[in-house]
Amino acid sequence: MNALEVSELAFAYGPRQALDELAFSLRPGRFAALLGPNGAGKSTLIALLTRLYDLQAGDIRIFGHSLRRAPRQALRQLGVVFQQSTLDLDLSVQQNLAYHAALHGLPRREAQARIELELARQQLGERRHDKVRELNGGHRRRVEIARALLHRPRLLLLDEASAGLDPASRLALGRHVRHLCQEHQLTVLWTTHLLDEVQAGDQLLMLRQGRLVAEGRADQFGDDLGASFERLTAAAPCQP
């Protein structure tokens, strides 16, 4: 069973087609980078995966559950870290996680056990009582990942998760998320427009104007990923 299947997905904002017959799949336990220039359709795809937007055409299946026909079962498998942080800066790390666990209806004892596990996994145990505003950008992202994993999803979406981070923090975050894939069989879909966030062994999906224009292991695109990306995602010439 695939972790994620996107089938013939189409979405339009009025006359503007944002996604056009998009189709791809992800296997469990893989790190996949969704790469595309601004306006390629990455944010629209994330909005559809998280049901911020309703499906117009096509379907999305998350570990076999159709987002159209069984949305609750599908969304239970999903954790999300959005580009813009949604943490409460004036609450502690512990309080942010406890509040999120309560929203998911987790009993207090079970919630605390999961919080302990995720704090250890994200190497944040010593920061549990710090207010979020006291953390640097990389640690805030780790808190968001811990929060996203509290309900034990099997698919984690990270939408431009490195935005605003310095190069060292971006590198550390990418390394940390890949470790989660390798050690815990978590499936990750990481959207970005930054080529240096892609590693040779990643599954790579390239979007251009709402269409999938290339797919495969990143190292299959040659030594110069930038040149391949520019060639494959360049805007189509205008028709006379």
Side-chain angles (χ1 to χ4, degrees):
M1 179 187 301
N2 286 320
L4 176 64
E5 292 183 8
V6 174
S7 306
E8 307 304 321
L9 197 63
F11 190 89
Y13 301 94
R16 184 175 73 84
Q17 195 73 32
L19 294 175
D20 189 4
E21 301 297 315
L22 182 63
F24 66 88
S25 63
L26 302 182
R27 298 197 306 274
R30 294 297 304 276
F31 182 101
L34 180 67
L35 190 63
N38 291 331
K42 302 187 301 296
S43 294
T44 299
L45 175 60
I46 295 297
L48 291 169
L49 286 167
T50 55
R51 293 202 81 204
L52 292 176
Y53 295 161
D54 291 331
L55 292 171
Q56 292 179 350
D59 197 11
I60 295 168
R61 300 181 73 86
I62 302 174
F63 283 95
H65 300 289
S66 166
L67 200 57
R68 183 182 293 278
R69 295 186 294 275
R72 288 187 179 181
Q73 292 90 326
L75 292 176
R76 285 195 191 103
Q77 314 299 319
L78 185 64
V80 187
V81 177
F82 290 105
Q83 179 176 351
Q84 298 297 324
S85 177
T86 57
L87 296 170
D88 190 318
L89 300 181
D90 291 316
L91 295 181
S92 69
V93 171
Q94 168 77 28
Q95 288 169 329
N96 268 279
L97 298 182
Y99 179 67
H100 187 75
L103 290 178
H104 276 275
L106 294 175
R108 183 172 298 181
R109 182 173 297 179
E110 181 180 358
Q112 188 56 41
R114 294 193 187 187
I115 288 171
E116 294 292 341
L117 175 64
E118 293 305 329
L119 286 175
R121 185 184 292 181
Q122 310 303 328
Q123 301 175 345
L124 288 169
E126 295 182 356
R127 309 301 300 270
R128 69 170 67 244
H129 298 303
D130 293 351
K131 288 187 177 180
V132 169
R133 69 170 62 255
E134 298 171 359
L135 305 180
N136 63 32
H139 282 134
R140 290 185 190 184
R141 283 303 191 197
R142 289 198 180 196
V143 175
E144 291 185 284
I145 293 171
R147 184 181 62 176
L149 296 177
L150 280 178
H151 63 288
R152 296 181 177 170
R154 293 191 284 171
L155 172 63
L156 179 64
L157 306 181
L158 296 107
D159 184 22
E160 304 280 359
S162 65
L165 299 183
D166 61 77
S169 295
R170 289 199 295 113
L171 180 64
L173 181 64
R175 185 167 55 242
H176 180 69
V177 173
R178 287 177 177 86
H179 174 77
L180 294 177
C181 292
Q182 295 167 1
E183 297 299 321
H184 303 285
Q185 286 299 295
L186 184 67
T187 307
V188 170
L189 180 61
W190 174 291
T191 77
T192 184
H193 62 279
L194 301 173
L195 295 172
D196 64 353
E197 294 186 353
V198 180
Q199 295 187 1
D202 295 343
Q203 180 177 349
L204 182 58
L205 309 163
M206 288 193 194
L207 282 186
R208 184 192 72 187
Q209 297 175 350
R211 285 181 171 270
L212 187 67
V213 295
E215 180 179 9
R217 273 177 55 108
D219 54 11
Q220 295 174 346
F221 291 88
D223 295 332
D224 192 343
L225 180 59
S228 296
F229 176 72
E230 185 174 351
R231 172 176 55 84
L232 290 164
T233 63
C238 296
Q239 297 295 323

